[in-house]
Amino acid sequence: RSTSSRRRALFGQRVYWIDAGLNSTLPGRQKMLGAYPGGHPGKRTLGQRHYDVQLAGGLALHNGHIAEMRTGEGKTLTATLALYTNALVGAGAHLVTVNDYLAKRDASWMGRVFHFLGLSVGCIQHDASFLFDPSLPAQKEAEDSTHAFSVEAEVLRPVSRKEAYGADITYGTNNEFGFDYLRDNMVGRLEQLV
């Protein structure tokens, strides 16, 4: 069964909201919460819920705007809103970050939320590519002295770059996405595309 038909069976009419455009009749907060089946998946999987500032940021990102947030306001969790709504249409959504550590950390951390929602998560690194796979050994969580969440990469299964790009949501750095784009424009045959 295709990912798109699996999502439609799982979420039913909610996919239509995205296909028809999220900007139809509901106020912003209801649209973002309404797009999530069963309420707050962040609360169910991570023990964290989206606050109003995060809902506003997610709506702004979904609408193609820049959302500036301070340290500690939850940028990682905010991004899940726009990533989820944009990934539902089946074209894939990419989160661009500044370094490999953040791409890997966020793919493993937020992968639980997206997996709960029926979406696949990929991660592109300089020297490797991964898919979030909760069937791998249990993940180890820890808080360091700054109370930042860190995840060991045990829930990320190594795959080809093509497979990681085929995920519903792909985390990576600006360098990797940019150079993969340039390499794809220089290939001689379609099967060489990443």
Side-chain angles (χ1 to χ4, degrees), residues 107 111 115 121 130-137 139 154-158:
H115 177 74
V121 176
F130 305 93
L131 279 179
F132 178 82
D133 187 351
S135 68
L136 294 173
Q139 91 187 38
E154 294 178 358
V155 292
L156 295 176
R157 178 172 40 90

Side-chain angles (χ1 to χ4, degrees), residues 105-151:
R105 181 201 71 177
D106 294 353
S108 7
W109 186 12
M110 296 299 129
R112 291 190 286 168
V113 175
F114 296 123
H115 177 74
F116 175 80
L117 293 166
L119 299 175
S120 60
V121 176
C123 179
I124 303 291
Q125 301 274 280
H126 174 68
D127 55 354
S129 303
F130 305 93
L131 279 179
F132 178 82
D133 187 351
S135 68
L136 294 173
Q139 91 187 38
K140 298 175 184 172
E141 301 174 13
E143 280 191 16
D144 62 17
S145 60
T146 62
H147 301 290
F149 185 84
S150 63
V151 178

Side-chain angles (χ1 to χ4, degrees), residues 42-60:
K43 183 74 171 168
R44 292 174 145 205
T45 59
L46 304 173
Q48 300 174 337
R49 73 173 194 84
H50 291 92
Y51 292 97
D52 288 344
V53 68
Q54 293 167 324
L55 293 171
L59 190 59

